[in-house]
Amino acid sequence: MPLTFRSPLQYRTPMLGAAGMIPSLGSGPWMYPEILIGMIGCLNVCLSIITKCFWYLTGNLVYRVHWFRSKALRDRWKEEVEMLQCEAEWTRNYFQSRLNFWSDRQQTALRSDEIGIAYYAAQQRQIYHWLYSI
């Protein structure tokens, strides 16, 4: 039977205190039996949900521990991948900066007719160009 809520003005039955009737508790929504029954029904549903949640939290301890360990492992690997990508970028940037340095050094040595330094700078530039292109 569905519970219907009515205005307090629509109730015509007085609340009796004896003979097995619901005692009068004064004014307020709890003095109407249908509302009281509805509130008890809601409390039973809430209690059922709380009980199920408590069972889930305590009864599935192994699954929760496994889930948290798996999540931690996933987060560690995600962080490791991110760090490796950053380190690869840093390494390429370093090789590019060394390539630029030795190119400038070679140009400077050629302008000042320092053949030995220019040759060594060309070797270093070739090494860093090879490392950068990998």
Side-chain angles (χ1 to χ4, degrees):
M1 175 172 102
L3 181 63
T4 58
F5 291 99
R6 295 185 285 182
S7 166
L9 299 176
Q10 293 174 337
Y11 284 95
R12 300 272 188 244
T13 56
M15 299 300 294
L16 302 175
M21 299 296 289
I22 299 174
S24 176
L25 299 175
S27 64
W30 53 84
M31 66 182 281
Y32 304 106
E34 288 183 3
I35 294 175
L36 183 61
I37 290 170
M39 290 170 56
I40 290 173
C42 290
L43 289 175
N44 285 340
V45 170
C46 292
L47 183 61
S48 171
I49 291 171
I50 291 170
T51 303
K52 287 178 183 176
C53 290
F54 180 75
W55 178 85
Y56 178 76
L57 292 176
T58 57
N60 293 331
L61 181 64
V62 173
Y63 294 120
R64 284 188 297 136
V65 169
H66 177 71
W67 184 84
F68 280 118
R69 289 188 69 200
S70 298
K71 183 182 180 308
L73 184 63
R74 185 203 63 173
D75 291 346
R76 274 186 296 210
W77 278 108
K78 188 176 179 181
E79 183 181 356
E80 185 67 27
V81 166
E82 185 178 335
M83 287 300 297
L84 285 174
Q85 289 172 342
C86 289
E87 288 174 5
E89 183 180 344
W90 297 336
T91 303
R92 285 184 54 88
N93 290 343
Y94 174 74
F95 291 154
Q96 180 65 45
S97 70
R98 298 312 294 171
L99 176 64
N100 293 339
F101 172 78
W102 287 111
S103 294
D104 292 344
R105 185 67 178 117
Q106 181 184 13
Q107 295 301 321
T108 305
L110 287 174
R111 274 184 291 211
S112 62
D113 289 334
E114 297 172 335
I115 303 299
I117 294 175
Y119 180 74
Y120 180 75
Q123 283 181 331
Q124 293 298 312
R125 187 179 66 78
Q126 186 176 11
I127 290 170
Y128 283 107
H129 178 70
W130 177 77
L131 288 171
Y132 178 76
S133 65
I134 291 179

